[in-house]
Amino acid sequence: MSDLPHLLREALVRADFTYDAVAGLLGRQAHDALARNETTPGLLATGDGSPLATLVRLFLLQTAVSRDAAERALPGLLDAMAAQGLVEQSVGEVAARLDVRPYATDHADETAHLWVVSDLTPGLDGLPQRVGGDHVLGISPASTSLAQLTLREEVGRSLDLGTGCGVQALHLARHSGRVVATDVNAKALRLTRFNAALNDVADRVDVRDGSFFEPVAGERFDLIATNPPFVISPATGERLVYRDSGLPGDRVVEDIVRAAPDHLTEGGWCQVLANWVIARDTPWDERLAGWVGDDCDALVVQREVLDPAAYVELWLKDAGQHPSTGGASAEDYRRRYDTWLSWFDEQGVEAVGFGWINLRRGASAAPDTAARTLLDWPYEVEQPVAPAVRDWGRAADVVVEAGSRLVLRVDVLQETVGAPGAEDPETIVLRQQRGLRRARKVDTVEAALAGACDGELSIGQILDAVADLLDRDAADLRAQYLPVVAELVREGFLVA
């Protein structure tokens, strides 16, 4: 690759083209408007002619700038950038052909300033947003969600499966000795290589062409992160590679979940951002649990559920196929809508779930006791959520016995509901303030036990003391509540 990525990086640094500086220049109103794909407030905020304002106009607002202004912002680079397809030049003006976007991420208590090159953002200011089959999506809610989900401990080898423009590979390169990034889209592979060089991690990112696990046959990784093309459709019509796998239904996610363990080291993780079918005749968690092999622990969190009609509307609009976007006629839109919705009905699809699948190879105990948590949790969680996934894995390794000494997690609060002055509350709830922020209704024994868990007394000693206070048989109380204590550990209320 040429020196252009490194020279471009130097120019972006000189112009202070960073996420924070751009947000400061735009101000809240224009920044929020741009998030809604509206550029007018941003144009009003970037009229000072500075290199930073020029770069914002050129790449983020996608408006042509004067050649003189572009040359001041990108001195000596315009011809090379035009040759590599980043910009196009006409008489006196320069326009962007690709999006160059600042991106900030926290790692090891430091803010890292990154830049991501992708295809231009479609649909600005309500213009037609039809995208080509090889469209390379840039930074998106899905990519940031996966970044917040992915574990950030130091690892030897990691895999970004279906890399797109390489956002996850850039994250992984900051805590991996080596990253392999795969995709079937030739444009995506080219942009990932460019982005790796632009962010000075090309020596740690190995970009490979191929479908799913084919380019890494026989290889194992400590960490796999993937936001696969998971849109659930009948796999007919034009395929958008960034979101459509070409496989019907949720087969792409099922295939990844089934195949991933063979590519993980012992103790390695695979983390997937995914959609899945909620079938009429099968509970969603039962169906997904059937995909997970006996050699893996699994934490699956369903974050959102859409009915078939809402799902079809969402993705038709995403592809620019709604009449209001100018991307399709009303007749064509209705035909696509009807075909998709009818296919859902034929397949017995009741709804579509969205969420996270986390697999860890090598259960901590025997395979028949592999940890399984499949949780329907549409509520607010702490971001990044990766530490909560890590804590879940640690909890799965804990074997609870009468001699165990446990501690109530520091962020857990107790809530009680009852009539004023009543001797006992009607309801007691333990609620986490951090991580997944789970809540659990408990009885008085569980509440007393949790409150007494400070690491000094064993669980057996605490239960014996509670039995004495309640005039209960100590052996019976142990038999009844030791399994409950194990649940409190697995759900993150008590820690070893």
Side-chain angles (χ1 to χ4, degrees):
M1 185 173 287
S2 71
D3 290 335
L4 178 59
H6 304 289
L7 297 173
L8 177 57
R9 177 187 177 90
E10 291 175 359
L12 299 177
V13 170
R14 280 196 305 270
D16 196 22
F17 190 56
T18 62
Y19 180 89
D20 291 341
V22 168
L25 174 66
L26 290 176
R28 182 174 178 177
Q29 176 176 276
H31 193 264
D32 290 348
L34 185 56
R36 300 190 301 270
N37 280 2
E38 297 291 341
T39 67
T40 300
L43 291 171
L44 293 173
T46 55
D48 65 8
S50 67
L52 176 58
T54 297
L55 293 175
V56 171
R57 286 189 162 210
L58 179 63
F59 293 118
L60 305 187
L61 305 179
Q62 296 177 195
T63 189
V65 299
S66 72
R67 181 177 175 84
D68 289 343
E71 181 63 35
R72 287 194 298 272
L74 301 163
L77 298 182
L78 294 179
D79 289 342
M81 291 177 69
Q84 292 207 22
L86 276 81
V87 300
E88 58 183 1
Q89 303 180 78
S90 59
V91 178
E93 285 191 332
V94 176
R97 292 181 61 194
L98 290 173
D99 186 301
V100 180
R101 190 165 297 259
Y103 182 57
T105 179
D106 292 329
H107 178 69
D109 298 324
E110 294 182 358
T111 298
H113 295 290
L114 308 175
W115 296 271
V116 176
V117 179
S118 66
D119 275 327
L120 293 173
T121 302
L124 289 184
D125 298 319
L127 295 174
Q129 60 175 18
R130 195 72 182 268
V131 297
D134 65 348
H135 181 80
V136 180
L137 194 65
I139 300 164
S140 67
S143 62
T144 54
S145 292
L146 180 57
Q148 292 171 322
L149 174 68
T150 304
L151 297 166
R152 296 301 172 200
E153 280 73 20
E154 297 292 325
V155 295
R157 302 186 78 227
S158 60
L159 171 63
D160 177 9
L161 190 71
T163 187
C165 66
V167 173
Q168 307 308 322
L170 298 179
H171 279 281
L172 292 168
R174 305 192 67 79
H175 61 99
S176 306
R178 190 71 172 168
V179 180
V180 177
T182 68
D183 211 296
V184 295
N185 185 345
K187 186 197 292 186
L189 297 172
R190 178 171 63 85
L191 291 180
T192 294
R193 292 188 180 98
F194 190 95
N195 284 326
L198 179 63
N199 291 283
D200 202 25
V201 294
D203 59 332
R204 296 198 295 281
V205 179
D206 178 7
V207 182
R208 303 183 190 178
D209 181 14
S211 178
F212 299 109
F213 291 107
E214 290 176 2
V216 294
E219 298 181 47
R220 292 185 182 270
F221 300 87
D222 304 301
L223 177 61
I224 299 172
T226 180
N227 172 23
F230 55 59
V231 174
I232 297 171
S233 74
T236 58
E238 182 184 12
R239 178 186 171 198
L240 302 181
V241 177
Y242 75 90
R243 61 168 230 188
D244 300 319
S245 69
L247 297 173
D250 53 15
R251 269 281 306 283
V252 62
V253 177
E254 179 182 356
D255 288 354
I256 288 172
V257 170
R258 292 186 183 278
D262 290 337
H263 296 277
L264 290 174
T265 59
E266 195 70 13
W269 288 82
C270 175
Q271 299 184 273
V272 189
L273 193 73
N275 279 182
W276 47 77
V277 166
I278 300 176
R280 292 193 189 115
D281 56 352
T282 307
W284 75 271
D285 50 350
E286 180 180 318
R287 185 167 178 272
L288 267 64
W291 298 351
V292 182
D294 291 338
D295 56 350
C296 276
D297 295 326
L299 169 63
V300 182
V301 182
Q302 183 165 268
R303 296 288 293 149
E304 185 178 3
V305 174
L306 287 180
D307 67 63
Y311 189 81
V312 172
E313 292 162 15
L314 170 68
W315 290 110
L316 284 176
K317 290 175 182 177
D318 173 80
Q321 293 169 343
H322 193 278
S324 65
T325 67
S329 67
E331 182 180 353
D332 186 47
Y333 175 75
R334 284 194 295 269
R335 178 182 58 80
R336 291 174 184 269
Y337 197 146
D338 178 74
T339 298
W340 203 335
L341 201 60
S342 297
W343 180 83
F344 272 148
D345 185 59
E346 293 166 2
Q347 298 297 311
V349 176
E350 181 177 275
V352 176
F354 170 84
W356 313 318
I357 300 175
N358 302 275
L359 308 173
R360 183 177 64 167
R361 179 180 171 84
S364 56
D368 60 351
T369 59
R372 294 280 192 277
T373 299
L374 291 96
L375 178 67
D376 189 8
W377 196 250
Y379 312 107
E380 184 180 357
V381 301
E382 182 183 25
Q383 294 290 2
V385 75
V389 177
R390 176 202 62 207
D391 292 345
W392 176 90
R394 291 175 178 173
D397 294 337
V398 176
V399 178
V400 174
E401 300 171 326
S404 300
R405 284 175 165 76
L406 304 174
V407 177
L408 182 67
R409 211 170 78 177
V410 294
D411 65 304
V412 174
L413 297 180
Q414 177 177 300
E415 302 173 358
T416 59
V417 177
E423 183 175 348
D424 295 312
E426 296 173 7
T427 303
I428 307 173
V429 175
L430 299 182
R431 189 179 302 277
Q432 301 165 2
Q433 306 303 302
R434 305 198 61 184
L436 290 178
R437 296 176 174 153
R438 296 179 73 173
R440 179 185 174 101
K441 186 176 178 180
V442 298
D443 62 21
T444 53
V445 173
E446 295 167 61
L449 184 147
C453 281
D454 60 4
E456 294 295 324
L457 297 175
S458 70
I459 294 299
Q461 290 172 319
I462 295 172
L463 286 173
D464 289 348
V466 173
D468 186 54
L469 285 172
L470 299 178
D471 195 23
R472 298 270 300 272
D473 181 81
D476 288 347
L477 207 67
R478 285 193 182 202
Q480 180 180 351
Y481 281 96
L482 275 176
V484 175
V485 174
E487 292 177 6
L488 289 167
V489 171
R490 287 195 299 269
E491 293 176 9
F493 293 94
L494 299 177
V495 295

